[in-house]
Amino acid sequence: MLCRVAESVKVYKEDEVKIPIVVNVDGKDIIDIVSFNKKIDTEYDYSDSRSLGIIENGGARKIAYLTSLSHIRIARSKDGENFKIEDEAFIKPIASEEEWGIEDPRITQIEDTYYINYTSVTRNGAATSLVSTNIAFNRPVPYAIGGADMWIAESPDLEHWRKQKHFYGVSNEESWENGRVVGGAVPFYC
């Protein structure tokens, strides 16, 4: 089984917020810590412990940073009830496409290959990514996290994609579908 592990930075002062992000330094991806002080950095909204927000004109809250960084680990079980979670990440976020982390893995086996579809998260929004032992596919989402519309694409071999088109999205924040329509659907092969 694959599981998302979200880790945050321990803080020692009540007014302190620390943000882990993946950055590239000299060709190597590392975790950097960005620090904020609630009394000094007043342009941010701290009302949600999972993120720092910016209140836009009209009152909408846009996420400026996430307070945790997530990666994907393997959990193994011989009986389906007791799991041992690996100590190291199986899929680590990379700075160029996943600076805020990766989450929501879904696995599909097609012949001898396991395809893992997961959500990549950056300051530019969320995207759905597809990896296997030798391919990767990534489709950005246009607006911050939470604007994940569904798209359809065709592939003869799960490596070359064509005929991408918008399938469904939520424009009304009060609708039933809001919060239920997201990227990260399991790939299937016909």
Side-chain angles (χ1 to χ4, degrees):
M1 175 171 68
L2 296 180
C3 56
R4 170 192 178 226
V5 175
E7 298 180 296
S8 58
V9 181
K10 189 172 185 174
V11 294
Y12 297 96
K13 298 175 185 172
E14 186 177 320
D15 294 327
E16 184 178 45
V17 177
K18 294 192 176 199
I19 308 294
I21 60 171
V22 181
V23 297
N24 189 285
V25 177
D26 298 325
K28 184 177 179 183
D29 288 341
I30 62 167
I31 297 174
D32 188 26
I33 308 301
V34 181
S35 296
F36 295 89
N37 183 297
K38 293 178 184 179
K39 290 182 179 176
I40 297 170
D41 302 305
T42 57
E43 68 270 24
Y44 295 103
D45 172 39
Y46 300 94
S47 64
D48 185 340
S49 65
R50 299 169 298 172
S51 64
L52 269 67
I54 296 175
I55 305 300
E56 296 180 330
N57 292 340
R61 184 180 193 271
K62 184 174 179 182
I63 295 173
Y65 293 96
L66 295 180
T67 57
S68 65
L69 180 67
S70 54
H71 58 272
I72 297 172
R73 292 190 191 185
I74 296 176
R76 301 179 192 275
S77 173
K78 292 183 179 183
D79 62 8
E81 292 182 19
N82 300 296
F83 288 86
K84 163 116 176 57
I85 300 173
E86 298 288 323
D87 293 331
E88 295 295 319
F90 175 63
I91 303 174
K92 295 179 182 179
I94 57 174
S96 62
E97 298 176 11
E98 301 154 344
E99 67 184 327
W100 287 2
I102 54 180
E103 50 195 59
D104 304 332
R106 289 149 172 88
I107 307 169
T108 299
Q109 182 180 6
I110 300 174
E111 297 176 357
D112 294 332
T113 303
Y114 289 90
Y115 295 91
I116 303 164
N117 182 264
Y118 64 92
T119 302
S120 303
V121 188
T122 72
R123 72 182 74 214
N124 297 317
T128 183
S129 296
L130 179 67
V131 297
S132 73
T133 57
N134 61 2
I135 64 169
F137 177 69
N138 188 329
R139 179 196 56 83
V141 172
Y143 191 71
I145 300 171
D149 292 352
M150 291 194 211
W151 288 68
I152 296 175
E154 294 180 9
S155 172
D157 55 10
L158 294 180
E159 187 171 351
H160 302 93
W161 295 86
R162 62 178 185 238
K163 297 184 181 176
Q164 295 184 36
K165 63 181 179 178
H166 185 262
F167 175 67
Y168 187 76
V170 178
S171 59
N172 179 357
E173 290 187 18
E174 302 299 319
S175 70
W176 178 88
E177 296 93 340
N178 189 32
R180 292 173 178 85
V181 174
V182 296
V186 176
F188 59 93
Y189 190 67
C190 297

